[in-house]
C-alpha cells in the first residue's frame, strides 16, 4: 500500500526563540539548522530577516542542504503596496527557499490588534502570498489564532484559509495560538476546514498550554492535515510548542501512523534523535529532561526489581519501543548491550568499524560511563568522543604534548590612567622532542591560551592556520564556587566543518584547556 507523505516543519529557530531565557547566537542557529537538516526535517524556519541583526545575518546565505529554508514574517501592512513594504522586501531578498507569512484568522484580533478591517486583512494576505510566488519562492501561511477565530466567527476563519489557497499558498497552517483547544475540537474543526481546502495543503501548529500540543497535532493528522509544525524539545513561548522529538518517533514507530504515513525522517535517521535532542540542550547550556518521552535518560530506565527481572527476560514487557530505535539506551543491569549498540552507531559516524565482540568496545563503554559519571557529556561533543575512541583503540596519533602551561590575570592602570584587565598565557609544547615555548596576551585566560598554543606548533602550525574557535559555553554541574565545571568549545575551519569538544574539571581554566587541546587535536586528525 502506498503511504501518504507527512511533512515536518521545524520552527525552533523562530517560535522556539520566544522561550523565556533563550537567546540564539548566529553560531547557535547555524548548528541547530545542521542538526535539523541531518535528521531529515522537511522545512527549517530560520527566523525573521530584518527583525534583528542575528536573523538578518542568518538569512544572508542558505543554511540547509536538503531541507527547505524558510523565512518568517508578516503580511504587508495595510495602506502600502507589496512593492513598498520593507518587511516584504526583507523576506523576498533573503536567501530562503520559501516565505511563511503570519496572518490573523480571528476577526476580533484583526480589528483590535491590527486596527484594520477584516477585508483589508484578506487583501494583505492575498497580495503577500502573490509577492512571494512572483519572486520564485514558495509561500506558506500561518493562520494565527485560527481555532479561537473559528469558534468566534467560522465564516471569517474559513475565508482566511480560502484566500490563502486561492492566492497560491503551498501550505495553510491552522494555529492553536493560545494553546487552549482540546483534541476532540481540533479533529472536528479540521474536518470542517477540509470542506474548503484539501488536506495536502493544510498544516497544524499547536501550543502546549494545556499539555496537549502533541495530542492536538496527532488529532489534526488523523483528521486530515499533512503538514505538522513544532520545535525541538518542545521549546516555545509560555508552555512551549508541539514537541517534534516526541512527535517524530510516534509517527515513525507507532503502527497507527507508521502504516499510513511516511516522513523525511527514516527509521535509520530516527536512531539519531536522542543525540540531536541532547546536543540541542547542550547548545542551550541546560540539562536534558530525564523524563522526556523516547529520549530522556529515564525513558528506558527501571528501578523496581520485578520490572528489571521481567525486562531481562523480555524487554517488551516494560518498553513500548526499543531504546535503540531512537538512539537511547536501557538503564538496567543489561544496559551494557544497549550501550554497545549506541557506541557502534557513533563510531560508524567517524568511519570506525568494529565488530560487537571486539573487547576494546567494552573498554570504551567503560570509559565513557566513567567519564560521564564525572561530568563529561559526549552527546554534544562528538569530536571529543572520536578522540577518546581512537585513544582506547590505540589509533590516536601523538601530534604534540603540552608539558606545562600558566595563565595570569592582572588588573592595572594603563598609560592613560584607565583601569584594564590583562590576561597572559605561557605554554610549553613538545613536538617530537623539540620543546617550544610561546607567550600571548588575550581577551581573558582562555583566549590567551588559544593564542599561545597556535603561535608555534612547530611542523603542525600550517595545519591549524584556518582553525577558528567560534563559541565557548560553561556549565556548573553542582553548586558553589568549588563546583565541577564543564566547558564546551565549538570550532570550525575553512572547509566549513564544525565540531565540539568538552573539558571537565573543578578548575574552569583546566576544563577550558582540555576542550581547547582536543579542538586542536581533532583539527590535526582531520588533516591526515
Amino acid at each position: 500500500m502506498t503511504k501518504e507523505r507527512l511533512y515536518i516543519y521545524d520552527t525552533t529557530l523562530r517560535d522556539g526563540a520566544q522561550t523565556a531565557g533563550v537567546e540564539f547566537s548566529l553560531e547557535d542557529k547555524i548548528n541547530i539548522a545542521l542538526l535539523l537538516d541531518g535528521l531529515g526535517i522537511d522545512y527549517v524556519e530560520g527566523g525573521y530577516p530584518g527583525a534583528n541583526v542575528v536573523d538578518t545575518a542568518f538569512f544572508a546565505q542558505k543554511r540547509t542542504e536538503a531541507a527547505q529554508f524558510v523565512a518568517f514574517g508578516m503580511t504587508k501592512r495595510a495602506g502600502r503596496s507589496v512593492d513598498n513594504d520593507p518587511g516584504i522586501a526583507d523576506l523576498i531578498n533573503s536567501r530562503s527557499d520559501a516565505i511563511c507569512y503570519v496572518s490573523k484568522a480571528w476577526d476580533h484580533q484583526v480589528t483590535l490588534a491590527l486596527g484594520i478591517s477584516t477585508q483589508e486583512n484578506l487583501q494583505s494576505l492575498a497580495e503577500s502570498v502573490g509577492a512571494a510566488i512572483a519572486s520564485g519562492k514558495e509561500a506558506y501561511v500561518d493562520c494565527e489564532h485560527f481555532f479561537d477565530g473559528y469558534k468566534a466567527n467560522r465564516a471569517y476563519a474559513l475565508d482566511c484559509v480560502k484566500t490563502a489557497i486561492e492566492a497560491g499558498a503551498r501550505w495553510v497552517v491552522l494555529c492553536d495560538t493560545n494553546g487552549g483547544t482540546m483534541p476532540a475540537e481540533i479533529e472536528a474543526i479540521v474536518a470542517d476546514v477540509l470542506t474548503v481546502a484539501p488536506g495536502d495543503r493544510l498544516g497544524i501548529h499547536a501550543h502546549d498550554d494545556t499539555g496537549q500540543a502533541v495530542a492536538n497535532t496527532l488529532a489534526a493528522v488523523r483528521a486530515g492535515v499533512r503538514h505538522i509544525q513544532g520545535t525541538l524539545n518542545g521549546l516555545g513561548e509560555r508552555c512551549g510548542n508541539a514537541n517534534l522529538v516526541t512527535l517524530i518517533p510516534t509517527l515513525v514507530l507507532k503502527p497507527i501512523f507508521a502504516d499510513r504515513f511516511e516522513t523525511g525522517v527514516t527509521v535509520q535517521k530516527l536512531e539519531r534523535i536522542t543525540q540531536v535532542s541532547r546536543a540541542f540542550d547542550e547548545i542551550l547550556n541546560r540539562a536534558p529532561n530525564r523524563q522526556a518521552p523516547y529520549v530522556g535518560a529515564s525513558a528506558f530506565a527501571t528501578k523496581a526489581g520485578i520490572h528489571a527481572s521481567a525486562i531481562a527476560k523480555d524487554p517488551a514487557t516494560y518498553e513500548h519501543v526499543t531504546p535503540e530505535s531512537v538512539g537511547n539506551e536501557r538503564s538496567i543491569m543489561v544496559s551494557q548491550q544497549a550501550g554497545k549498540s549506541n557506541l557502534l552507531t557513533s563510531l560508524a559516524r567517524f568511519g570506525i568499524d568494529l565488530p560487537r565482540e571486539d573487547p576494546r568496545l567494552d573498554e570504551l563503554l567503560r570509559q565513557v560511563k566513567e567519564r560521564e559519571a564525572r561530568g563529561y557529556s559526549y552527546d554534544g561533543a562528538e569530536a571529543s568522543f572520536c578522540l577518546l575512541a581512537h585513544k582506547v583503540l590505540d589509533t590516536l596519533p601523538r601530534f604534540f604534548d603540552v608539558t606545562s602551561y600558566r595563565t595570569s590575570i592582572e588588573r592595572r592602570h594603563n598609560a592613560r590612567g584607565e583601569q584594564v584587565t590583562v590576561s597572559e598565557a605561557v605554554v610549553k609544547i613538545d613536538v617530537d622532542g623539540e620543546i617550544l615555548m610561546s607567550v600571548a596576551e588575550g581577551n581573558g585566560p582562555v583566549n590567551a591560551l588559544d593564542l599561545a598554543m597556535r603561535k608555534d606548533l612547530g611542523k603542525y602550525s600550517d595545519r591549524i592556520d584556518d582553525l577558528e574557535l567560534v563559541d565557548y559555553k560553561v556549565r556548573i554541574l553542582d553548586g558553589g564556587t568549588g563546583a565541577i565545571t564543564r566547558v564546551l568549545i565549538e570550532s570550525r575551519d575553512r572547509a566549513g566543518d564544525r565540531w565540539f569538544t568538552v573539558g571537565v574539571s573543578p578548575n574552569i581554566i583546566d576544563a577550558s584547556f582540555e576542550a581547547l587541546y582536543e579542538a586542536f587535536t581533532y583539527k590535526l586528525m582531520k588533516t591526515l
Side-chain angles (χ1 to χ4, degrees):
M1 182 181 73
T2 303
K3 295 183 180 182
E4 290 185 74
R5 183 70 155 85
L6 276 180
Y7 295 88
I8 299 173
Y9 183 109
D10 182 274
T11 181
T12 300
L13 299 177
R14 199 273 306 172
D15 221 359
Q18 306 302 311
T19 307
V22 170
E23 290 288 341
F24 294 128
S25 67
L26 176 60
E27 297 302 330
D28 289 338
K29 287 202 163 199
I30 291 170
N31 282 302
I32 294 166
L34 291 173
L35 286 175
L36 294 166
D37 205 20
L39 186 60
I41 301 298
D42 297 296
Y43 303 95
V44 174
E45 185 180 79
Y48 198 152
N52 56 67
V53 174
V54 170
D55 281 7
T56 299
F58 188 56
F59 279 97
Q61 64 187 81
K62 182 173 164 60
R63 302 293 182 176
T64 58
E65 291 185 8
Q68 291 285 292
F69 188 43
V70 186
F72 177 90
M74 295 176 63
T75 55
K76 79 169 189 70
R77 301 176 191 176
R80 290 192 177 201
S81 68
V82 289
D83 296 327
N84 194 34
D85 188 298
I88 298 292
D90 285 334
L91 293 169
I92 288 174
N93 293 329
S94 73
R95 296 296 298 274
S96 67
D97 302 304
I99 296 171
C100 182
Y101 293 108
V102 59
S103 179
K104 294 187 182 298
W106 186 358
D107 58 350
H108 176 63
Q109 285 275 345
V110 172
T111 56
L112 177 70
L114 299 182
I116 61 175
S117 71
T118 54
Q119 284 305 118
E120 285 178 301
N121 186 52
L122 294 178
Q123 182 182 354
S124 291
L125 170 57
E127 292 181 8
S128 299
V129 169
I133 295 170
S135 72
K137 299 178 187 286
E138 280 196 331
Y140 319 136
V141 176
D142 278 1
C143 288
E144 188 184 29
H145 294 288
F146 177 81
F147 291 96
D148 290 318
Y150 177 96
K151 295 172 192 177
N153 186 337
R154 171 185 176 275
Y156 185 70
L158 294 181
D159 279 345
C160 292
V161 173
K162 288 188 285 186
T163 298
I165 291 287
E166 290 167 3
R170 170 64 183 91
W171 293 109
V172 180
V173 183
L174 314 178
C175 301
D176 185 28
T177 307
N178 289 347
T181 309
M182 299 291 104
E185 293 178 293
I186 294 280
E187 207 153 352
I189 292 171
V190 169
D192 190 28
V193 178
L194 288 171
T195 64
V196 301
D200 60 4
R201 302 281 292 279
L202 294 176
I204 180 70
H205 177 113
H207 282 257
D208 206 34
D209 296 73
T210 64
Q212 297 181 97
V214 168
N216 281 344
T217 301
L218 296 174
V221 171
R222 286 196 303 270
V225 308
R226 296 297 176 257
H227 166 115
I228 64 173
Q229 294 193 357
T231 59
L232 286 177
N233 295 345
L235 212 65
E237 191 174 20
R238 302 187 311 275
C239 304
N241 288 44
N243 188 348
L244 289 181
V245 176
T246 301
L247 276 165
I248 291 170
T250 299
L251 295 169
V252 175
L253 298 176
K254 294 301 179 181
I256 190 173
F257 297 106
D259 290 349
R260 290 184 58 196
F261 305 110
E262 62 181 0
T263 72
V265 182
T266 63
V267 170
Q268 292 74 28
K269 288 180 178 178
L270 186 65
E271 294 175 359
R272 298 181 55 194
I273 200 163
T274 295
Q275 185 269 330
V276 167
S277 171
R278 295 178 186 176
F280 177 61
D281 278 326
E282 285 289 341
I283 291 172
L284 294 180
N285 209 21
R286 70 179 190 181
N289 177 8
R290 295 185 63 85
Q291 272 72 45
Y294 295 105
V295 300
S298 298
F300 298 95
T302 185
K303 188 175 181 181
I306 190 171
H307 294 179
S309 176
I311 290 175
K313 297 172 184 175
D314 181 6
T317 53
Y318 285 95
E319 293 175 354
H320 66 109
V321 298
T322 63
E324 295 87 354
S325 65
V326 290
N328 207 340
E329 63 181 355
R330 189 174 298 119
S331 182
I332 54 171
M333 54 190 174
V334 295
S335 63
Q336 183 107 339
Q337 280 302 109
K340 279 188 177 182
S341 297
N342 288 341
L343 283 185
L344 288 169
T345 300
S346 296
L347 289 171
R349 287 201 288 272
F350 293 101
I352 302 173
D353 186 21
L354 286 181
R356 180 181 287 271
E357 300 77 21
D358 193 315
R360 294 175 298 176
L361 201 60
D362 294 311
E363 174 60 19
L364 178 58
L365 180 62
R366 185 194 67 77
Q367 289 206 29
V368 168
K369 296 291 185 184
E370 185 268 332
R371 291 169 74 84
E372 284 180 343
R374 287 163 46 199
Y376 289 85
S377 175
Y378 293 107
D379 293 302
E382 287 203 316
S384 286
F385 170 77
C386 174
L387 296 178
L388 177 63
H390 277 291
K391 183 178 179 181
V392 171
L393 299 175
D394 200 26
T395 55
L396 181 64
R398 188 168 183 170
F399 298 105
F400 67 96
D401 291 318
V402 176
T403 60
S404 68
Y405 73 85
R406 182 178 72 249
T407 63
S408 63
I409 302 174
E410 181 183 4
R411 195 174 188 185
R412 64 172 185 244
H413 289 86
N414 62 18
R416 293 190 294 272
E418 301 166 331
Q419 193 173 66
V420 295
T421 300
V422 178
S423 297
E424 182 183 82
V426 180
V427 179
K428 287 185 180 180
I429 296 174
D430 182 341
V431 180
D432 293 339
E434 180 184 5
I435 302 298
L436 306 170
M437 186 174 77
S438 299
V439 182
E441 290 185 349
N443 183 22
V446 178
N447 180 238
L449 277 171
D450 174 30
L451 296 175
M453 285 179 65
R454 67 175 64 230
K455 234 178 187 183
D456 191 356
L457 269 184
K459 64 183 181 181
Y460 299 116
S461 292
D462 61 334
R463 298 193 193 179
I464 62 161
D465 58 359
D466 65 336
L467 173 64
E468 181 182 0
L469 273 58
V470 294
D471 203 2
Y472 172 86
K473 287 186 171 70
V474 177
R475 183 145 169 243
I476 305 302
L477 300 181
D478 46 23
T481 56
I484 298 295
T485 302
R486 181 163 73 219
V487 167
L488 190 70
I489 286 179
E490 179 190 356
S491 308
R492 70 181 173 201
D493 58 19
R494 194 177 297 121
D497 293 335
R498 294 167 176 269
W499 61 94
F500 290 86
T501 49
V502 64
V504 173
S505 173
N507 185 306
I508 189 172
I509 302 300
D510 279 338
S512 303
F513 175 78
E514 181 182 10
L516 191 64
Y517 178 84
E518 293 201 343
F520 276 67
T521 303
Y522 186 78
K523 168 61 180 174
L524 291 172
M525 282 276 291
K526 288 173 76 270
T527 65
L528 293 178

